[in-house]
Every structure is written in structure tokens, then in C-alpha cells.
Amino acid sequence: MWSGNKVWLHYVKNIIAADVPSAVFLASYLRYSGVTQDYASYLEVIDLQEYKVIKKPVRVAKALRERMNLPFVFVVGKN
């Protein structure tokens, strides 16, 4: 897959990639994901104050906006 040794470089906005095209692709995908908010379908919010796990993407996005400053509310990746 990789020929020779690769050097990982640190780019702006905490992007670490082996080459410039990979860094540009990752930056564009992160921007797209932030604009469309499709990341909510890959996350779950565990709310220990109300003893529930929020799984629906619409409710996850709402919990990320409203409940993240409360104690015992955690964001967990599904994978």
C-alpha cells in the first residue's frame, strides 16, 4: 500500500496527514460534515442525569447544542 517511508505532517486545524492531497481531502470532508451535521448519525449521547441513551440523529444534534454543558452528559462514538 505504501511505498517507502511516509512522514506525517501536522497541518492547520489539527489535521495530520502523510501528504497534501490527503490533508486537503480531510479538511474538505470535515468542513462538509460540520455544515451538514451528518456527524450526529455516528454519535450517541449518554445522559446519566436522566438515565437515558439518545440515539436518534435529530435528538443527538439537539443534545449536543443544549445539554453538553451539564455534568454527567457524555458523547460516545457508535463504532
Side-chain angles (χ1 to χ4, degrees):
M1 184 171 135
W2 287 2
S3 60
N5 293 332
K6 294 284 184 177
V7 177
W8 293 91
L9 299 173
H10 190 248
Y11 296 95
V12 294
K13 296 186 180 180
N14 292 330
I15 294 176
I16 300 174
D19 54 359
V20 175
S22 299
V24 169
F25 173 76
L26 183 58
S28 64
Y29 178 74
L30 289 173
R31 190 171 131 226
Y32 167 79
S33 176
V35 169
T36 59
Q37 293 183 354
D38 64 346
Y39 57 85
S41 61
Y42 305 115
L43 299 173
E44 293 178 344
V45 175
I46 299 174
D47 189 351
L48 295 180
Q49 290 183 346
E50 297 184 10
Y51 299 107
K52 64 180 179 179
V53 177
I54 303 169
K55 295 182 180 182
K56 294 183 180 179
V58 175
R59 292 187 182 185
V60 168
K62 183 179 178 185
L64 288 174
R65 283 192 310 270
E66 297 174 359
R67 302 197 51 84
M68 289 314 302
N69 57 356
L70 299 176
F72 302 110
V73 176
F74 304 100
V75 179
V76 179
K78 286 185 179 179
N79 57 357

